[in-house]
Amino acid sequence: MTTLNKKHYHHGDLTKSLLESASAIIKDHGVESLSMRKLADIVGVSRTAPYHHFKDKNALLCALAEEGFYEQGKILGRLRAEQNTAQESFKKYVYAYLEYALQHSEIYDLMYGRTLWKAGNPSDSLKAASKHTFKSWIEWVEELQHQKILPNNNTPLRIGQTTWASLHGLARLFIDGIYLDKADLSEMIEQMIENVCTHAKA
């Protein structure tokens, strides 16, 4: 369990401290347990201080999800910059995507779940971050189609959507506890890669 200690922070560090503590709270106890008052107490600031950085809980959760999209973008950018074959890069990305989703499942839920997108109010910056991440993904999918790693029998958008759906679906099976044995994960990943790439091998 994550340990949360009360500390006093300089003003310039408070935004980061609030985000880190909020992430720890929802990791240990879920989104429902997070409140601005509880967060202020844990960080060790006045109960009005968080509101100078985040308008309300929804804005705080949006900022956490936004950071998650930036992290996903970094993963993709890093792999594209490495000197790997296209096939190696795609395989590494699949593993890295699922590793992030499982290790940061609470943030992943905010990024792709109903808490913000259906039941909440996604901020403009969150929408922009998600669109930017998805745009980078589609651009890479188009490259992978040209390199005959992914199928080219449809547009990069449709192939990107359905390939991501496979990734997301596999992540959800483990996050939601439908599958609990992580020993199965590697074999399922390999089969999923085989499935989504099969037409490109012809």
Side-chain angles (χ1 to χ4, degrees):
M1 179 175 290
T2 306
T3 301
L4 298 172
N5 295 318
K6 290 188 177 182
K7 297 179 180 178
H8 291 279
Y9 296 90
H10 295 294
H11 180 77
D13 299 328
L14 185 53
T15 299
K16 180 180 178 181
S17 300
L18 291 169
L19 288 171
E20 289 177 348
S21 295
S23 179
I25 291 170
I26 66 173
K27 183 176 182 63
D28 287 345
H29 306 291
V31 172
E32 298 78 11
S33 68
L34 177 64
S35 70
M36 299 294 273
R37 173 179 290 189
K38 181 177 182 178
L39 181 60
D41 289 345
I42 287 173
V43 174
V45 295
S46 71
R47 290 181 174 178
T48 60
Y51 292 98
H52 296 298
H53 300 263
F54 303 102
K55 181 178 69 174
D56 51 24
K57 179 179 175 178
N58 180 83
L60 174 63
L61 295 178
C62 285
L64 287 171
E66 188 177 337
E67 283 200 335
F69 280 113
Y70 285 128
E71 285 301 314
Q72 278 196 339
K74 288 178 184 177
I75 291 170
L76 178 56
R78 185 167 59 249
L79 287 173
R80 292 179 71 179
E82 290 180 359
Q83 298 300 312
N84 299 312
T85 66
Q87 188 169 359
E88 287 172 339
S89 292
F90 179 70
K91 184 174 181 177
K92 284 186 175 184
Y93 179 76
V94 171
Y95 273 93
Y97 180 99
L98 290 163
E99 181 180 11
Y100 179 85
L102 298 183
Q103 289 186 356
H104 306 277
S105 57
E106 296 78 14
I107 300 298
Y108 189 84
D109 281 340
L110 293 176
M111 293 165 64
Y112 297 112
R114 61 182 291 126
T115 299
L116 295 176
W117 295 103
K118 189 172 183 178
N121 182 26
S123 65
D124 289 340
S125 60
L126 173 56
K127 292 176 184 177
S130 66
K131 287 179 180 177
H132 177 76
T133 302
F134 189 67
K135 182 174 181 290
S136 297
W137 163 247
I138 296 301
E139 289 173 351
W140 192 42
V141 166
E142 186 171 12
E143 291 179 16
L144 293 173
Q145 287 180 296
H146 289 311
Q147 294 163 330
K148 301 187 183 302
I149 303 302
L150 291 179
N152 57 10
N153 59 338
N154 211 324
T155 64
L157 176 61
R158 288 291 176 259
I159 297 300
Q161 286 171 328
T162 52
T163 302
W164 175 76
S166 296
L167 273 169
H168 180 66
L170 188 52
R172 289 253 54 107
L173 288 173
F174 281 87
I175 290 172
D176 294 340
I178 297 172
Y179 284 102
L180 293 174
D181 188 353
K182 297 292 179 66
D184 294 335
L185 183 58
S186 181
E187 289 188 14
M188 294 174 72
I189 290 174
E190 293 294 331
Q191 185 59 54
M192 192 208 72
I193 293 173
E194 180 76 13
N195 291 346
V196 300
C197 296
T198 184
H199 298 296
K201 295 178 178 178

